[in-house]
């Protein structure tokens, strides 16, 4: 199964995430200090059935990643999510 990580900014320096599968909420948490912390926490909560995760920041999907990549490259994935969302937000202005 491929789940989706929904990461959102609550307020400056505070983030929340939800993990969903086929639109159904599985779990989540709030008040984490970075996008990367959300990705790490979401990855740690995954069960055996998950093979990969889509990462979306502020509703914008930045990519689909195998579990090994999520665990090994969480900082780079978080940076990519931020850059993707920022670029799309700027293009929409």
């Amino acid at each position: 199964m491929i789940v989706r990580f929904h990461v959102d900014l609550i307020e400056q320096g505070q983030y929340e995430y939800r993990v969903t599968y086929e639109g159904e909420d599985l779990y989540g948490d709030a008040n984490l200090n970075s996008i990367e912390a959300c990705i790490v926490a979401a990855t740690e909560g995954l069960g055996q059935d998950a093979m990969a995760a889509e990462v979306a920041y502020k509703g914008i999907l930045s990519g689909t990643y195998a579990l090994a990549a999520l665990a090994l490259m969480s900082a780079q994935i978080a940076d990519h999510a931020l850059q993707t969302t920022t670029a799309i937000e700027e293009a929409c202005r």
Side-chain angles (χ1 to χ4, degrees), residues 25-48:
D25 284 348
L26 300 178
Y27 58 93
D29 200 359
N31 298 317
L32 287 94
N33 64 0
S34 67
I35 298 169
E36 181 183 7
C38 290
I39 292 171
V40 169
T43 302
E44 289 174 350
L46 290 174
Q48 299 284 340

Side-chain angles (χ1 to χ4, degrees), residues 24-81:
E24 298 288 325
D25 284 348
L26 300 178
Y27 58 93
D29 200 359
N31 298 317
L32 287 94
N33 64 0
S34 67
I35 298 169
E36 181 183 7
C38 290
I39 292 171
V40 169
T43 302
E44 289 174 350
L46 290 174
Q48 299 284 340
D49 294 336
M51 298 181 303
E54 301 171 334
V55 176
Y57 176 56
K58 294 170 68 176
I60 298 172
L61 183 65
S62 63
T64 304
Y65 304 92
L67 293 186
L70 289 164
L72 294 173
M73 300 175 13
S74 58
Q76 293 90 339
I77 293 168
D79 186 53
H80 183 256

Side-chain angles (χ1 to χ4, degrees), residues 1-20:
M1 107 172 122
I2 298 174
V3 298
R4 180 173 285 188
F5 296 171
H6 303 266
V7 179
D8 288 296
L9 180 66
I10 301 171
E11 59 183 50
Q12 191 63 31
Q14 295 293 303
Y15 298 83
E16 66 182 356
Y17 75 89
R18 291 180 304 116
V19 177
T20 63

Side-chain angles (χ1 to χ4, degrees), residues 72-93:
L72 294 173
M73 300 175 13
S74 58
Q76 293 90 339
I77 293 168
D79 186 53
H80 183 256
L82 176 61
Q83 289 183 16
T84 300
T85 297
T86 301
I88 291 173
E89 288 176 341
E90 287 176 2
C92 291
R93 290 184 188 157

